[in-house]
Amino acid sequence: MHTVELLEEAIAAAKRAGYEVREEWLGGTGGGHCEIKGQKCIFLDLAVGPLDQLELVLETLSGEPSIVPLPMSSQLRNLLGLRKIA
């Protein structure tokens, strides 16, 4: 699977896990994740490439227990270090 496809899948998983994902021009700062008034957010910087954006989403989701039962490709599951659930 290509990086852009993995990024799209990771963004979809983040949204299913309750994150608001905002893609904005942030001038190359790379974005980040935070919580605003109880809403979990991921800010993706459109000035950086898809690989850097994917790494940010993976970093955010790797500590998120609610993604474990979500459906996702085995490649994304492996990148997140998750085991397939029965």
Side-chain angles (χ1 to χ4, degrees):
M1 191 177 295
H2 295 286
T3 302
V4 172
E5 293 169 321
L6 281 169
L7 175 60
E8 290 171 354
E9 183 182 6
I11 288 171
K15 288 178 179 178
R16 287 192 307 271
Y19 283 85
E20 176 185 350
V21 180
R22 297 183 59 176
E23 300 176 73
E24 299 185 14
W25 183 263
L26 301 172
T29 61
H33 63 276
C34 63
E35 191 170 313
I36 302 171
K37 295 184 180 181
Q39 172 65 52
K40 299 180 286 186
C41 299
I42 300 174
F43 290 89
L44 296 177
D45 187 352
L46 294 175
V48 300
L51 183 58
D52 291 328
Q53 292 178 15
L54 176 61
E55 288 176 0
L56 173 65
V57 177
L58 292 174
E59 175 187 313
T60 302
L61 293 180
S62 66
E64 182 62 54
S66 66
I67 65 159
V68 173
L70 295 177
M72 64 185 76
S73 70
S74 59
Q75 190 172 4
L76 181 58
R77 191 168 289 282
N78 288 337
L79 287 171
L80 289 166
L82 301 173
R83 295 180 186 204
K84 186 167 178 126
I85 56 175

